[in-house]
Amino acid sequence: MQDVLAAASPVKLDGEVIEDEATYLEIEVTSFGGGNPDDDKSKLITREEVDSSKKVYRLIKRTEDFVLSLAALLVLAIPMLIVALVVWITSPGASPIFKQERVGKNGKTFKLWKFRSMVPDAESKLEELMPKNEMDGPVFKIKEDPRITPFGSFIRKTSIDELPCVLVIKTKFLATAFSLL
């Protein structure tokens, strides 16, 4: 391998030998269909150019997330208001949005927002229901959980309780966008 490296011609950029090859990446530019193969060239770009394009890609991706979540929010605003109203009526004294901190990828915590599908004091009733737990580990699940409201059962089956997550995506985008400024 050393012989191959020693035999390789020095890296040049605009006719000048580059001392620090680690800061550049080589990209092959090839002609397709009917082009002259003798015109094929290698192009060197700096790692800063690659890093810059990654930042642009991430910004475009976050913008796409924001635009799609905003469109979803506009389309779903009235149905979400109706669901919030029904949850508020069926669970008096409680917020229609349930907020909880969860642990995600690499142990990073995030805030989870859902429509409330359980009675307001569901967390306090958890201890007395623990003997009925059907799962192992930190997960708690029982088939006929008495803490779930009738409307909560419907919004869980239809996954309507997950709709407030759209708001979290939008909020997270705004926080990221302002941190880039």
Side-chain angles (χ1 to χ4, degrees):
M1 184 68 169
Q2 291 291 5
D3 296 333
V4 173
L5 291 175
S9 59
V11 177
K12 293 183 180 182
L13 180 64
D14 293 331
E16 293 183 31
V17 176
I18 298 171
E19 299 292 329
D20 184 14
E21 296 176 30
T23 60
Y24 292 90
L25 298 172
E26 187 172 2
I27 295 179
E28 289 289 324
V29 179
T30 348
S31 60
F32 292 98
N36 185 353
D38 295 332
D39 291 341
D40 292 353
K41 299 176 182 175
S42 291
K43 180 182 179 194
L44 292 176
I45 60 172
T46 64
R47 293 198 185 278
E48 289 88 20
E49 289 174 304
V50 171
D51 290 343
S52 175
S53 69
K54 284 182 181 178
K55 286 179 185 175
V56 170
Y57 171 77
R58 284 194 300 263
L59 182 62
I60 290 170
K61 185 67 176 140
R62 296 296 297 162
T63 303
E64 177 187 7
D65 290 346
F66 175 73
V67 169
L68 291 176
S69 68
L70 184 61
L73 184 62
L74 292 173
V75 168
L76 298 171
I78 292 176
M80 287 175 67
L81 284 172
I82 293 169
V83 169
L85 183 62
V86 172
V87 169
W88 183 67
I89 291 170
T90 59
S91 298
S95 168
I97 302 290
F98 173 73
K99 299 170 195 159
Q100 187 179 51
E101 281 220 359
R102 298 259 176 113
V103 179
K105 188 176 181 181
N106 299 324
K108 187 176 178 182
T109 60
F110 65 96
K111 289 183 182 172
L112 173 83
W113 291 7
K114 295 174 101 174
F115 281 118
R116 181 175 300 282
S117 60
M118 293 187 169
V119 295
D121 59 343
E123 297 283 326
S124 64
K125 293 181 179 182
L126 181 63
E127 195 62 40
E128 67 186 55
L129 294 171
M130 279 306 247
K132 296 180 180 180
N133 189 7
E134 298 169 357
M135 303 294 281
D136 293 329
V139 179
F140 178 82
K141 189 147 186 119
I142 56 177
K143 196 169 198 156
E144 297 295 323
D145 194 332
R147 302 172 301 159
I148 299 175
T149 65
F151 185 68
S153 178
F154 168 73
I155 64 174
R156 279 184 169 203
K157 285 178 187 169
T158 57
S159 296
I160 293 172
D161 64 328
E162 305 286 345
L163 288 178
C165 292
V166 173
L167 298 173
V168 174
I169 293 169
K170 186 171 165 276
T171 306
K172 188 172 182 175
F173 171 81
L174 291 174
T176 303
F178 287 121
S179 71
L180 293 174
L181 297 177

mmCIF file of all heavy atoms in Angstrom, residues 99-139:
data_model
loop_
_atom_site.group_PDB
_atom_site.id
_atom_site.type_symbol
_atom_site.label_atom_id
_atom_site.label_comp_id
_atom_site.label_asym_id
_atom_site.label_seq_id
_atom_site.Cartn_x
_atom_site.Cartn_y
_atom_site.Cartn_z
ATOM 1 N N LYS A 99 -49.133 16.378 28.885
ATOM 2 C CA LYS A 99 -47.709 16.636 28.630
ATOM 3 C C LYS A 99 -46.881 15.736 29.529
ATOM 4 O O LYS A 99 -47.175 15.584 30.710
ATOM 5 C CB LYS A 99 -47.369 18.097 28.912
ATOM 6 C CG LYS A 99 -48.134 19.061 28.053
ATOM 7 C CD LYS A 99 -47.939 20.475 28.529
ATOM 8 C CE LYS A 99 -48.993 21.355 27.902
ATOM 9 N NZ LYS A 99 -49.203 22.578 28.616
ATOM 10 N N GLN A 100 -45.830 15.153 28.936
ATOM 11 C CA GLN A 100 -44.980 14.247 29.694
ATOM 12 C C GLN A 100 -43.573 14.275 29.110
ATOM 13 O O GLN A 100 -43.407 14.427 27.897
ATOM 14 C CB GLN A 100 -45.553 12.835 29.625
ATOM 15 C CG GLN A 100 -44.853 11.837 30.514
ATOM 16 C CD GLN A 100 -45.494 10.470 30.401
ATOM 17 O OE1 GLN A 100 -45.696 9.951 29.307
ATOM 18 N NE2 GLN A 100 -45.817 9.875 31.541
ATOM 19 N N GLU A 101 -42.574 14.123 29.958
ATOM 20 C CA GLU A 101 -41.202 14.003 29.469
ATOM 21 C C GLU A 101 -40.924 12.538 29.208
ATOM 22 O O GLU A 101 -41.210 11.682 30.040
ATOM 23 C CB GLU A 101 -40.207 14.563 30.485
ATOM 24 C CG GLU A 101 -40.135 16.057 30.440
ATOM 25 C CD GLU A 101 -38.716 16.588 30.595
ATOM 26 O OE1 GLU A 101 -37.770 15.813 30.753
ATOM 27 O OE2 GLU A 101 -38.585 17.814 30.558
ATOM 28 N N ARG A 102 -40.355 12.262 28.042
ATOM 29 C CA ARG A 102 -39.995 10.890 27.669
ATOM 30 C C ARG A 102 -38.521 10.850 27.314
ATOM 31 O O ARG A 102 -37.911 11.865 27.008
ATOM 32 C CB ARG A 102 -40.812 10.426 26.452
ATOM 33 C CG ARG A 102 -42.301 10.378 26.693
ATOM 34 C CD ARG A 102 -42.770 8.967 26.966
ATOM 35 N NE ARG A 102 -44.184 8.915 27.295
ATOM 36 C CZ ARG A 102 -45.103 8.359 26.539
ATOM 37 N NH1 ARG A 102 -44.785 7.834 25.374
ATOM 38 N NH2 ARG A 102 -46.358 8.333 26.943
ATOM 39 N N VAL A 103 -37.961 9.654 27.326
ATOM 40 C CA VAL A 103 -36.564 9.465 26.965
ATOM 41 C C VAL A 103 -36.525 8.892 25.562
ATOM 42 O O VAL A 103 -37.178 7.896 25.269
ATOM 43 C CB VAL A 103 -35.842 8.526 27.958
ATOM 44 C CG1 VAL A 103 -34.396 8.323 27.541
ATOM 45 C CG2 VAL A 103 -35.929 9.077 29.364
ATOM 46 N N GLY A 104 -35.761 9.551 24.686
ATOM 47 C CA GLY A 104 -35.677 9.127 23.295
ATOM 48 C C GLY A 104 -34.317 8.578 22.939
ATOM 49 O O GLY A 104 -33.601 8.015 23.786
ATOM 50 N N LYS A 105 -33.940 8.768 21.698
ATOM 51 C CA LYS A 105 -32.695 8.252 21.162
ATOM 52 C C LYS A 105 -31.498 8.797 21.930
ATOM 53 O O LYS A 105 -31.437 9.972 22.253
ATOM 54 C CB LYS A 105 -32.596 8.648 19.679
ATOM 55 C CG LYS A 105 -31.450 8.013 18.956
ATOM 56 C CD LYS A 105 -31.501 8.375 17.481
ATOM 57 C CE LYS A 105 -30.371 7.717 16.741
ATOM 58 N NZ LYS A 105 -30.391 8.064 15.328
ATOM 59 N N ASN A 106 -30.565 7.934 22.222
ATOM 60 C CA ASN A 106 -29.334 8.273 22.947
ATOM 61 C C ASN A 106 -29.611 8.875 24.320
ATOM 62 O O ASN A 106 -28.844 9.694 24.814
ATOM 63 C CB ASN A 106 -28.462 9.224 22.121
ATOM 64 C CG ASN A 106 -28.031 8.607 20.812
ATOM 65 O OD1 ASN A 106 -27.769 7.405 20.742
ATOM 66 N ND2 ASN A 106 -27.970 9.407 19.770
ATOM 67 N N GLY A 107 -30.732 8.511 24.936
ATOM 68 C CA GLY A 107 -31.056 8.979 26.267
ATOM 69 C C GLY A 107 -31.493 10.435 26.350
ATOM 70 O O GLY A 107 -31.634 10.988 27.436
ATOM 71 N N LYS A 108 -31.721 11.057 25.200
ATOM 72 C CA LYS A 108 -32.128 12.461 25.183
ATOM 73 C C LYS A 108 -33.605 12.563 25.535
ATOM 74 O O LYS A 108 -34.436 11.859 24.988
ATOM 75 C CB LYS A 108 -31.869 13.038 23.787
ATOM 76 C CG LYS A 108 -32.088 14.517 23.695
ATOM 77 C CD LYS A 108 -31.724 15.020 22.313
ATOM 78 C CE LYS A 108 -31.993 16.503 22.218
ATOM 79 N NZ LYS A 108 -31.709 17.015 20.887
ATOM 80 N N THR A 109 -33.939 13.465 26.459
ATOM 81 C CA THR A 109 -35.338 13.624 26.854
ATOM 82 C C THR A 109 -36.046 14.604 25.914
ATOM 83 O O THR A 109 -35.412 15.490 25.342
ATOM 84 C CB THR A 109 -35.461 14.138 28.299
ATOM 85 O OG1 THR A 109 -34.811 15.393 28.404
ATOM 86 C CG2 THR A 109 -34.854 13.151 29.287
ATOM 87 N N PHE A 110 -37.335 14.408 25.757
ATOM 88 C CA PHE A 110 -38.157 15.301 24.942
ATOM 89 C C PHE A 110 -39.537 15.394 25.570
ATOM 90 O O PHE A 110 -39.934 14.544 26.354
ATOM 91 C CB PHE A 110 -38.248 14.812 23.487
ATOM 92 C CG PHE A 110 -38.954 13.496 23.330
ATOM 93 C CD1 PHE A 110 -40.300 13.447 23.006
ATOM 94 C CD2 PHE A 110 -38.275 12.307 23.494
ATOM 95 C CE1 PHE A 110 -40.957 12.242 22.857
ATOM 96 C CE2 PHE A 110 -38.919 11.090 23.344
ATOM 97 C CZ PHE A 110 -40.257 11.062 23.022
ATOM 98 N N LYS A 111 -40.246 16.464 25.237
ATOM 99 C CA LYS A 111 -41.598 16.658 25.751
ATOM 100 C C LYS A 111 -42.596 16.039 24.788
ATOM 101 O O LYS A 111 -42.553 16.297 23.596
ATOM 102 C CB LYS A 111 -41.894 18.135 25.938
ATOM 103 C CG LYS A 111 -41.135 18.733 27.090
ATOM 104 C CD LYS A 111 -41.487 20.173 27.296
ATOM 105 C CE LYS A 111 -40.663 20.728 28.432
ATOM 106 N NZ LYS A 111 -40.802 22.157 28.588
ATOM 107 N N LEU A 112 -43.480 15.234 25.331
ATOM 108 C CA LEU A 112 -44.516 14.578 24.548
ATOM 109 C C LEU A 112 -45.837 15.285 24.823
ATOM 110 O O LEU A 112 -46.178 15.525 25.980
ATOM 111 C CB LEU A 112 -44.624 13.106 24.956
ATOM 112 C CG LEU A 112 -45.780 12.342 24.341
ATOM 113 C CD1 LEU A 112 -45.387 11.876 22.951
ATOM 114 C CD2 LEU A 112 -46.159 11.173 25.196
ATOM 115 N N TRP A 113 -46.545 15.640 23.779
ATOM 116 C CA TRP A 113 -47.871 16.248 23.899
ATOM 117 C C TRP A 113 -48.870 15.319 23.224
ATOM 118 O O TRP A 113 -48.667 14.906 22.092
ATOM 119 C CB TRP A 113 -47.932 17.593 23.213
ATOM 120 C CG TRP A 113 -47.148 18.696 23.831
ATOM 121 C CD1 TRP A 113 -46.271 18.613 24.878
ATOM 122 C CD2 TRP A 113 -47.165 20.056 23.430
ATOM 123 N NE1 TRP A 113 -45.746 19.839 25.141
ATOM 124 C CE2 TRP A 113 -46.267 20.753 24.265
ATOM 125 C CE3 TRP A 113 -47.834 20.758 22.449
ATOM 126 C CZ2 TRP A 113 -46.051 22.110 24.149
ATOM 127 C CZ3 TRP A 113 -47.600 22.116 22.331
ATOM 128 C CH2 TRP A 113 -46.728 22.777 23.174
ATOM 129 N N LYS A 114 -49.949 15.021 23.935
ATOM 130 C CA LYS A 114 -51.022 14.198 23.387
ATOM 131 C C LYS A 114 -52.340 14.738 23.913
ATOM 132 O O LYS A 114 -52.367 15.420 24.938
ATOM 133 C CB LYS A 114 -50.884 12.737 23.863
ATOM 134 C CG LYS A 114 -49.666 12.011 23.371
ATOM 135 C CD LYS A 114 -49.571 10.652 24.006
ATOM 136 C CE LYS A 114 -50.048 9.612 23.044
ATOM 137 N NZ LYS A 114 -49.860 8.256 23.529
ATOM 138 N N PHE A 115 -53.427 14.379 23.233
ATOM 139 C CA PHE A 115 -54.721 14.675 23.804
ATOM 140 C C PHE A 115 -54.930 13.728 24.980
ATOM 141 O O PHE A 115 -54.582 12.547 24.900
ATOM 142 C CB PHE A 115 -55.847 14.491 22.785
ATOM 143 C CG PHE A 115 -55.982 15.637 21.822
ATOM 144 C CD1 PHE A 115 -55.807 15.443 20.478
ATOM 145 C CD2 PHE A 115 -56.279 16.912 22.287
ATOM 146 C CE1 PHE A 115 -55.935 16.498 19.586
ATOM 147 C CE2 PHE A 115 -56.404 17.970 21.403
ATOM 148 C CZ PHE A 115 -56.228 17.772 20.053
ATOM 149 N N ARG A 116 -55.481 14.249 26.047
ATOM 150 C CA ARG A 116 -55.721 13.443 27.243
ATOM 151 C C ARG A 116 -56.716 12.331 26.902
ATOM 152 O O ARG A 116 -57.799 12.589 26.402
ATOM 153 C CB ARG A 116 -56.262 14.324 28.364
ATOM 154 C CG ARG A 116 -56.525 13.576 29.654
ATOM 155 C CD ARG A 116 -56.932 14.511 30.766
ATOM 156 N NE ARG A 116 -55.905 15.499 31.051
ATOM 157 C CZ ARG A 116 -54.808 15.255 31.755
ATOM 158 N NH1 ARG A 116 -54.600 14.056 32.241
ATOM 159 N NH2 ARG A 116 -53.927 16.215 31.969
ATOM 160 N N SER A 117 -56.334 11.093 27.209
ATOM 161 C CA SER A 117 -57.228 9.961 26.967
ATOM 162 C C SER A 117 -57.563 9.233 28.264
ATOM 163 O O SER A 117 -58.330 8.275 28.250
ATOM 164 C CB SER A 117 -56.594 8.983 25.963
ATOM 165 O OG SER A 117 -55.370 8.493 26.473
ATOM 166 N N MET A 118 -56.990 9.706 29.358
ATOM 167 C CA MET A 118 -57.233 9.099 30.667
ATOM 168 C C MET A 118 -57.827 10.129 31.621
ATOM 169 O O MET A 118 -57.778 11.331 31.362
ATOM 170 C CB MET A 118 -55.931 8.561 31.263
ATOM 171 C CG MET A 118 -55.343 7.400 30.524
ATOM 172 S SD MET A 118 -53.937 6.770 31.467
ATOM 173 C CE MET A 118 -53.636 5.252 30.612
ATOM 174 N N VAL A 119 -58.320 9.643 32.728
ATOM 175 C CA VAL A 119 -58.845 10.531 33.761
ATOM 176 C C VAL A 119 -57.709 11.417 34.273
ATOM 177 O O VAL A 119 -56.533 11.042 34.184
ATOM 178 C CB VAL A 119 -59.488 9.718 34.917
ATOM 179 C CG1 VAL A 119 -60.706 8.974 34.424
ATOM 180 C CG2 VAL A 119 -58.483 8.773 35.545
ATOM 181 N N PRO A 120 -58.026 12.607 34.796
ATOM 182 C CA PRO A 120 -56.978 13.536 35.212
ATOM 183 C C PRO A 120 -55.987 13.000 36.245
ATOM 184 O O PRO A 120 -54.812 13.335 36.208
ATOM 185 C CB PRO A 120 -57.763 14.719 35.792
ATOM 186 C CG PRO A 120 -59.089 14.656 35.136
ATOM 187 C CD PRO A 120 -59.356 13.206 34.907
ATOM 188 N N ASP A 121 -56.412 12.124 37.165
ATOM 189 C CA ASP A 121 -55.500 11.626 38.200
ATOM 190 C C ASP A 121 -54.963 10.216 37.879
ATOM 191 O O ASP A 121 -54.688 9.424 38.771
ATOM 192 C CB ASP A 121 -56.192 11.651 39.566
ATOM 193 C CG ASP A 121 -57.462 10.807 39.594
ATOM 194 O OD1 ASP A 121 -57.977 10.465 38.512
ATOM 195 O OD2 ASP A 121 -57.936 10.496 40.702
ATOM 196 N N ALA A 122 -54.796 9.924 36.599
ATOM 197 C CA ALA A 122 -54.363 8.591 36.161
ATOM 198 C C ALA A 122 -52.993 8.202 36.728
ATOM 199 O O ALA A 122 -52.772 7.038 37.084
ATOM 200 C CB ALA A 122 -54.328 8.519 34.640
ATOM 201 N N GLU A 123 -52.075 9.152 36.832
ATOM 202 C CA GLU A 123 -50.730 8.855 37.340
ATOM 203 C C GLU A 123 -50.789 8.368 38.794
ATOM 204 O O GLU A 123 -50.051 7.469 39.182
ATOM 205 C CB GLU A 123 -49.844 10.094 37.235
ATOM 206 C CG GLU A 123 -49.614 10.580 35.816
ATOM 207 C CD GLU A 123 -48.598 9.749 35.061
ATOM 208 O OE1 GLU A 123 -47.638 9.254 35.672
ATOM 209 O OE2 GLU A 123 -48.763 9.607 33.835
ATOM 210 N N SER A 124 -51.678 8.953 39.605
ATOM 211 C CA SER A 124 -51.775 8.563 41.019
ATOM 212 C C SER A 124 -52.416 7.180 41.192
ATOM 213 O O SER A 124 -52.204 6.517 42.198
ATOM 214 C CB SER A 124 -52.552 9.614 41.813
ATOM 215 O OG SER A 124 -53.877 9.691 41.352
ATOM 216 N N LYS A 125 -53.201 6.745 40.217
ATOM 217 C CA LYS A 125 -53.850 5.424 40.291
ATOM 218 C C LYS A 125 -52.952 4.302 39.764
ATOM 219 O O LYS A 125 -53.300 3.132 39.859
ATOM 220 C CB LYS A 125 -55.152 5.440 39.483
ATOM 221 C CG LYS A 125 -56.207 6.347 40.072
ATOM 222 C CD LYS A 125 -57.470 6.313 39.244
ATOM 223 C CE LYS A 125 -58.536 7.198 39.866
ATOM 224 N NZ LYS A 125 -59.788 7.155 39.111
ATOM 225 N N LEU A 126 -51.805 4.654 39.223
ATOM 226 C CA LEU A 126 -50.906 3.668 38.617
ATOM 227 C C LEU A 126 -50.426 2.636 39.635
ATOM 228 O O LEU A 126 -50.389 1.437 39.334
ATOM 229 C CB LEU A 126 -49.710 4.380 37.967
ATOM 230 C CG LEU A 126 -48.685 3.513 37.269
ATOM 231 C CD1 LEU A 126 -49.318 2.785 36.090
ATOM 232 C CD2 LEU A 126 -47.527 4.360 36.785
ATOM 233 N N GLU A 127 -50.057 3.078 40.833
ATOM 234 C CA GLU A 127 -49.498 2.178 41.842
ATOM 235 C C GLU A 127 -50.463 1.054 42.208
ATOM 236 O O GLU A 127 -50.068 -0.094 42.314
ATOM 237 C CB GLU A 127 -49.108 2.985 43.090
ATOM 238 C CG GLU A 127 -48.213 2.241 44.040
ATOM 239 C CD GLU A 127 -46.874 1.861 43.436
ATOM 240 O OE1 GLU A 127 -46.283 2.672 42.705
ATOM 241 O OE2 GLU A 127 -46.426 0.715 43.685
ATOM 242 N N GLU A 128 -51.745 1.368 42.372
ATOM 243 C CA GLU A 128 -52.717 0.335 42.752
ATOM 244 C C GLU A 128 -53.010 -0.637 41.602
ATOM 245 O O GLU A 128 -53.482 -1.755 41.834
ATOM 246 C CB GLU A 128 -54.009 0.961 43.266
ATOM 247 C CG GLU A 128 -54.815 1.707 42.226
ATOM 248 C CD GLU A 128 -56.019 2.450 42.801
ATOM 249 O OE1 GLU A 128 -55.810 3.256 43.722
ATOM 250 O OE2 GLU A 128 -57.137 2.198 42.316
ATOM 251 N N LEU A 129 -52.708 -0.236 40.365
ATOM 252 C CA LEU A 129 -52.944 -1.108 39.207
ATOM 253 C C LEU A 129 -51.712 -1.928 38.807
ATOM 254 O O LEU A 129 -51.803 -2.783 37.932
ATOM 255 C CB LEU A 129 -53.405 -0.267 38.016
ATOM 256 C CG LEU A 129 -54.760 0.411 38.160
ATOM 257 C CD1 LEU A 129 -54.991 1.389 37.004
ATOM 258 C CD2 LEU A 129 -55.865 -0.620 38.210
ATOM 259 N N MET A 130 -50.577 -1.672 39.433
ATOM 260 C CA MET A 130 -49.332 -2.366 39.065
ATOM 261 C C MET A 130 -49.442 -3.897 39.093
ATOM 262 O O MET A 130 -48.876 -4.550 38.223
ATOM 263 C CB MET A 130 -48.168 -1.909 39.951
ATOM 264 C CG MET A 130 -47.568 -0.602 39.481
ATOM 265 S SD MET A 130 -47.091 -0.660 37.760
ATOM 266 C CE MET A 130 -45.353 -0.547 37.903
ATOM 267 N N PRO A 131 -50.136 -4.508 40.043
ATOM 268 C CA PRO A 131 -50.238 -5.976 40.022
ATOM 269 C C PRO A 131 -50.906 -6.523 38.751
ATOM 270 O O PRO A 131 -50.707 -7.681 38.396
ATOM 271 C CB PRO A 131 -51.079 -6.304 41.262
ATOM 272 C CG PRO A 131 -50.922 -5.130 42.165
ATOM 273 C CD PRO A 131 -50.728 -3.951 41.264
ATOM 274 N N LYS A 132 -51.690 -5.712 38.059
ATOM 275 C CA LYS A 132 -52.377 -6.157 36.844
ATOM 276 C C LYS A 132 -51.557 -5.928 35.575
ATOM 277 O O LYS A 132 -52.021 -6.215 34.475
ATOM 278 C CB LYS A 132 -53.713 -5.423 36.701
ATOM 279 C CG LYS A 132 -54.691 -5.729 37.818
ATOM 280 C CD LYS A 132 -55.973 -4.974 37.619
ATOM 281 C CE LYS A 132 -56.963 -5.265 38.717
ATOM 282 N NZ LYS A 132 -58.214 -4.539 38.552
ATOM 283 N N ASN A 133 -50.345 -5.395 35.715
ATOM 284 C CA ASN A 133 -49.495 -5.084 34.560
ATOM 285 C C ASN A 133 -49.229 -6.340 33.727
ATOM 286 O O ASN A 133 -48.845 -7.386 34.257
ATOM 287 C CB ASN A 133 -48.166 -4.477 35.022
ATOM 288 C CG ASN A 133 -47.340 -3.942 33.874
ATOM 289 O OD1 ASN A 133 -47.778 -3.896 32.730
ATOM 290 N ND2 ASN A 133 -46.134 -3.524 34.185
ATOM 291 N N GLU A 134 -49.432 -6.246 32.421
ATOM 292 C CA GLU A 134 -49.253 -7.384 31.514
ATOM 293 C C GLU A 134 -47.909 -7.347 30.795
ATOM 294 O O GLU A 134 -47.614 -8.228 29.996
ATOM 295 C CB GLU A 134 -50.382 -7.382 30.474
ATOM 296 C CG GLU A 134 -51.752 -7.538 31.091
ATOM 297 C CD GLU A 134 -52.878 -7.274 30.111
ATOM 298 O OE1 GLU A 134 -52.607 -6.903 28.947
ATOM 299 O OE2 GLU A 134 -54.049 -7.422 30.511
ATOM 300 N N MET A 135 -47.087 -6.335 31.054
ATOM 301 C CA MET A 135 -45.801 -6.181 30.363
ATOM 302 C C MET A 135 -44.657 -6.300 31.369
ATOM 303 O O MET A 135 -44.840 -6.112 32.566
ATOM 304 C CB MET A 135 -45.725 -4.810 29.669
ATOM 305 C CG MET A 135 -46.836 -4.553 28.674
ATOM 306 S SD MET A 135 -46.790 -5.623 27.253
ATOM 307 C CE MET A 135 -45.530 -4.844 26.307
ATOM 308 N N ASP A 136 -43.462 -6.592 30.833
ATOM 309 C CA ASP A 136 -42.256 -6.634 31.655
ATOM 310 C C ASP A 136 -41.486 -5.335 31.477
ATOM 311 O O ASP A 136 -41.617 -4.648 30.472
ATOM 312 C CB ASP A 136 -41.366 -7.809 31.229
ATOM 313 C CG ASP A 136 -42.013 -9.155 31.545
ATOM 314 O OD1 ASP A 136 -42.759 -9.228 32.537
ATOM 315 O OD2 ASP A 136 -41.758 -10.122 30.805
ATOM 316 N N GLY A 137 -40.648 -5.026 32.444
ATOM 317 C CA GLY A 137 -39.804 -3.835 32.349
ATOM 318 C C GLY A 137 -40.550 -2.571 32.727
ATOM 319 O O GLY A 137 -41.542 -2.610 33.463
ATOM 320 N N PRO A 138 -40.094 -1.435 32.197
ATOM 321 C CA PRO A 138 -40.667 -0.152 32.606
ATOM 322 C C PRO A 138 -42.026 0.163 31.961
ATOM 323 O O PRO A 138 -42.657 1.140 32.297
ATOM 324 C CB PRO A 138 -39.616 0.860 32.139
ATOM 325 C CG PRO A 138 -38.960 0.201 30.978
ATOM 326 C CD PRO A 138 -38.961 -1.270 31.293
ATOM 327 N N VAL A 139 -42.468 -0.688 31.041
ATOM 328 C CA VAL A 139 -43.728 -0.443 30.333
ATOM 329 C C VAL A 139 -44.890 -0.950 31.172
ATOM 330 O O VAL A 139 -44.846 -2.043 31.729
ATOM 331 C CB VAL A 139 -43.723 -1.152 28.954
ATOM 332 C CG1 VAL A 139 -45.016 -0.919 28.221
ATOM 333 C CG2 VAL A 139 -42.543 -0.697 28.124
#
